[in-house]
Amino acid sequence: MKILVLNCGSSSLKYQLFAMEQEQVLAKGLVEKIGLADAIITHKTGDGQKIVNQTAIPDHAKAIELVLAALTDKNHGVISSMKEIDAVGHRTVHGGTTYAKSVLIDDKVVAELKRLIKLAPLHNPPGILGIEACEKIMPGVPMVAVFDTSFHQTMPAKSYIYGIPYEYYEKYGVRRYGFHGTSHRFVAQRMAELLGKPFDDCKIITCHLGNGSSIAAIENGKVVDTSMGFTPLEGLMMGTRCGNIDPAIIPFLMEEETMDIPAINAMMNKKSGLLGISGISSDMRDIEQAAAQGNERAQLALDIFHHNVIKTVGGYIALMNGVDGIAFTAGIGENGPATRKLVCEQFAYAGLQFDAAANQCRGKEVEISKPGSKIRAFVVPTDEELMIARDTKALASK
Ligand code: AMP
């Protein structure tokens, strides 16, 4: 069975084609600058060939046509015709409270995704464009929507209701949804395997630390809390996002700086976090380098990031009354030994025996706690696309 996974952004589209028998990636790629005359498609085959093409790509439909052309190309294609694609999995950001699981897409689902645009005005529209374009180009091929929010739908109300008048939850669905759910689910399920315990019988904390960062507490297979909220702005301080701040800062700055809503939103989403504090970069590698060279603001940004992660992990250990394993994933989690060391060493008191030598690794699955450690810690590379492909296979085969 061959499954195409699509992840549509407003001006970009990432894709991977899987052969599901061995869960093997046959080809993958990225279309950038959709809507512009100098759009770029970068296509990589499983055997390492890379083809880059620059051309005008007016919309997502044209982008998908080019992806299919690359996949079926005589010279570097990996399938002979698009008829070989059995199903398409779409990464979808927001499923609201409607979708606690991935779903086979039909007209009703598309209508519901459109209704949910108000909860994710930046993220859901490109996903819908991708779905509609595929429907046009590949009619009849089963499609599945896999949501960033659905894994977190198991949270109890005490985790997702905010301390504001209840009517806003009822009227507008203002509540914690949580994001990165596909990654947290993939990593947590793998963690259970590594711990040698059934998924529904362990306590796991997954730290997805990348440009966007979130942490989830998973008890007996269910998310009990997660750090992102109504939007992906809440929780940890991130590359350019502020994470938790006193909400009263917002009206204060709007008044003092005469900022309007787009300006305050841009400040919190694009000018804050590591970038806002250091004034240098949103990229952890730049921050670590500048801090090592004695830049105090970069060091402060680094300290705040670690402080946030430790506070959240510690809170979740308390919430679950213990933890069996802590997983680190995404760009910083997989490649940043310094962050993992600072976080893990903080939980020595709770029984985490950190293995500093094992921690000197990047981008691969490794246990970073010592044998016999009461709390175990692992680096678990995430694979959201594979998770989407697995869900798509399961639903499309029904
Ligand atoms: P992601 O959003 O998952 O792609 O992660 C991007 C983040 O991972 C950026 O802040 C990168 O600086 C960070 N990252 C990538 N490689 C490293 C590394 N070797 N050490 C520390 N951070 C890294």
Side-chain angles (χ1 to χ4, degrees):
M1 185 178 208
K2 294 197 177 66
I3 288 177
L4 178 64
V5 172
L6 294 180
N7 180 352
C8 292
S10 54
S11 65
S12 70
L13 184 163
K14 285 189 214 147
Y15 62 94
Q16 286 197 20
L17 182 70
F18 286 89
M20 291 309 287
E21 290 69 25
Q22 290 86 32
E23 295 192 332
Q24 177 197 357
V25 178
L26 297 176
K28 63 179 173 181
L30 169 68
V31 187
E32 293 167 280
K33 295 194 186 178
I34 296 173
L36 298 177
D38 59 344
I40 304 165
I41 172 164
T42 309
H43 178 80
K44 290 183 194 160
T45 59
D47 59 10
Q49 288 186 67
K50 180 173 161 184
I51 300 103
V52 182
N53 222 331
Q54 197 168 43
T55 178
I57 303 182
D59 52 28
H60 285 73
K62 184 70 190 172
I64 291 170
E65 272 177 25
L66 288 174
V67 168
L68 293 171
L71 292 171
T72 55
D73 186 87
K74 266 200 228 90
N75 299 319
H76 51 258
V78 289
I79 48 174
S80 56
S81 118
M82 76 182 194
K83 290 203 180 87
E84 284 187 48
I85 299 173
D86 297 290
V88 182
H90 292 269
R91 180 201 174 203
T92 312
V93 172
H94 218 306
T97 50
T98 319
Y99 300 111
K101 288 210 160 81
S102 303
V103 65
L104 208 52
I105 297 171
D106 58 16
D107 291 349
K108 256 174 69 186
V109 172
V110 175
E112 181 61 9
L113 292 179
K114 287 185 175 165
R115 194 187 68 81
L116 290 168
I117 284 178
K118 70 174 189 305
L119 293 178
L122 297 179
H123 294 103
N124 271 19
I128 296 169
L129 285 177
I131 291 169
E132 289 183 333
C134 270
E135 252 168 4
K136 217 165 80 187
I137 301 165
M138 316 165 74
V141 175
M143 296 198 288
V144 170
V146 180
F147 303 93
D148 279 15
T149 49
S150 56
F151 185 46
H152 302 299
Q153 279 293 305
T154 52
M155 275 187 289
K158 63 185 171 188
S159 299
Y160 69 71
I161 294 290
Y162 290 114
I164 56 175
Y166 195 75
E167 66 187 86
Y168 300 129
Y169 163 61
E170 293 177 306
K171 250 165 107 176
Y172 307 116
V174 175
R175 51 158 283 176
R176 176 184 313 288
Y177 290 98
F179 296 87
H180 293 142
T182 310
S183 173
H184 287 294
R185 180 159 56 108
F186 180 88
V187 171
Q189 287 177 352
R190 180 67 192 137
M191 266 299 279
E193 286 172 9
L194 292 166
L195 292 169
K197 292 180 102 178
F199 186 46
D200 57 7
D201 187 25
C202 47
K203 297 173 182 177
I204 295 168
I205 294 175
T206 45
C207 304
H208 178 113
L209 309 177
N211 194 30
S213 296
S214 69
I215 303 186
I218 300 133
E219 187 169 10
N220 303 336
K222 292 187 172 142
V223 175
V224 291
D225 208 347
T226 189
S227 59
M228 282 180 169
F230 178 60
T231 72
L233 184 57
E234 196 189 342
L236 306 171
M237 186 194 79
M238 312 179 207
T240 60
R241 284 174 249 171
C242 59
N244 290 345
I245 57 171
D246 180 344
I249 294 169
I250 297 163
F252 175 83
L253 285 181
M254 287 177 84
E255 214 163 86
E256 292 296 317
E257 295 269 315
T258 46
M259 283 191 203
D260 58 6
I261 292 172
I264 197 94
N265 264 330
M267 184 278 282
M268 294 190 295
N269 279 288
K270 299 201 180 331
K271 299 181 188 168
S272 297
L274 296 176
L275 173 68
I277 292 166
S278 70
I280 295 175
S281 170
S282 62
D283 192 291
M284 184 54 101
R285 285 163 291 198
D286 299 337
I287 298 295
E288 285 183 348
Q289 201 184 4
Q293 288 163 356
N295 183 306
E296 283 179 16
R297 293 248 301 272
Q299 185 62 52
L300 178 61
L302 209 52
D303 291 346
I304 295 172
F305 183 76
H306 296 144
H307 180 89
N308 271 227
V309 175
I310 289 166
K311 212 159 68 162
T312 308
V313 170
Y316 289 170
I317 294 177
L319 208 58
M320 294 193 289
N321 204 4
V323 66
D324 297 309
I326 302 174
F328 293 89
T329 198
I332 302 169
E334 291 171 29
N335 302 299
T339 295
R340 296 192 301 250
K341 178 174 187 289
L342 278 160
V343 175
C344 288
E345 284 182 346
Q346 196 76 18
F347 296 102
Y349 81 91
L352 198 169
Q353 294 177 49
F354 179 61
D355 186 336
N359 185 48
Q360 289 309 317
C361 64
R362 293 184 201 277
K364 54 179 185 193
E365 190 176 278
V366 173
E367 175 158 11
I368 54 172
S369 48
K370 288 186 177 155
S373 180
K374 190 171 148 211
I375 298 176
R376 295 174 72 189
F378 287 85
V379 179
V380 181
T382 192
D383 196 338
E384 290 162 277
E385 286 75 16
L386 178 56
M387 194 83 243
I388 294 171
R390 283 178 183 166
D391 280 12
T392 305
K393 179 184 171 195
L395 284 166
S397 310
K398 270 190 186 164

